[in-house]
Amino acid sequence: MSKKHEIVKIQFDKQAENFSNWSVTKNAGYQKAYFDFCQISAQDTLLDFACGTGEYALFAAPKVKYVQGIDISQGMIEIAQKQAADRNINNIKFLCHPVEKTPFMDESFSIVICRSAFHHFHDYAGIFNEMVRGSQRGGRISVQDI
């Protein structure tokens, strides 16, 4: 892991609990509006890049076939996994790994999203290309950020 990744990982591990409880992260109205905007449906498989504590992935999981979340922060991923278990959501997995080279995909998902995290990356084109690599032919990509 690069020095930059290690700094980001440490920072987000420290913030994980507060991030999970932030009113913006938990805003169900906003989550539904984004879901509708992306035209996500029950047939979709969703990859949530830089998923944080998985709030959006957990919101979407009951409404789609499958969700995969990936984030560099082990603290964020642990909260996401606990919330999925607590809610008995079984069509979701979370992976702690840098998003710059995602190990499990290659045209695997019908929709790939990155919400409120793109500004943390240094190589925008590289991240976007990785999102494209994870998208099925004819799939969709959505980047939402501040």
Side-chain angles (χ1 to χ4, degrees):
M1 187 175 296
S2 75
K3 178 93 170 142
K4 287 180 194 174
H5 282 129
E6 193 58 37
I7 291 168
V8 169
K9 181 183 174 326
I10 290 167
Q11 179 183 24
F12 279 103
D13 282 347
K14 288 179 185 177
Q15 298 173 18
E17 194 67 40
N18 287 337
F19 184 82
S20 181
N21 293 320
W22 187 28
S23 62
V24 172
T25 306
K26 298 265 190 211
N27 187 322
Y30 174 72
Q31 291 172 336
K32 182 182 180 326
Y34 186 68
F35 189 91
D36 293 344
F37 173 80
C38 292
Q39 300 177 355
I40 301 172
S41 73
Q43 295 77 35
D44 278 315
T45 53
L46 172 74
L47 174 60
D48 189 352
F49 252 58
C51 66
T53 57
E55 298 300 331
Y56 189 78
L58 292 159
F59 169 83
K63 302 166 182 60
V64 299
K65 277 187 187 177
Y66 176 74
V67 177
Q68 173 75 58
I70 184 168
D71 198 277
I72 195 170
S73 167
Q74 185 64 39
M76 298 273 191
I77 293 298
E78 287 172 1
I79 290 171
Q81 290 169 330
K82 182 180 182 326
Q83 290 188 99
D86 289 351
R87 297 180 196 178
N88 200 29
I89 299 174
N90 299 312
N91 67 332
I92 194 167
K93 288 187 183 171
F94 293 100
L95 175 68
C96 182
H97 196 277
V99 296
E100 285 82 356
K101 187 61 178 165
T102 308
F104 54 80
M105 46 189 214
D106 277 331
E107 300 183 11
S108 301
F109 298 90
S110 59
I111 183 159
V112 180
I113 66 165
C114 182
R115 295 183 55 249
S116 302
F118 221 74
H119 65 278
H120 291 291
F121 303 132
H122 298 281
D123 178 12
Y124 298 132
I127 295 295
F128 190 78
N129 286 336
E130 195 65 358
M131 293 175 75
V132 169
R133 187 172 72 84
S135 179
Q136 295 171 353
R137 185 177 204 89
R140 292 144 11 248
I141 294 172
S142 177
V143 175
Q144 174 273 324
D145 211 327
I146 55 175

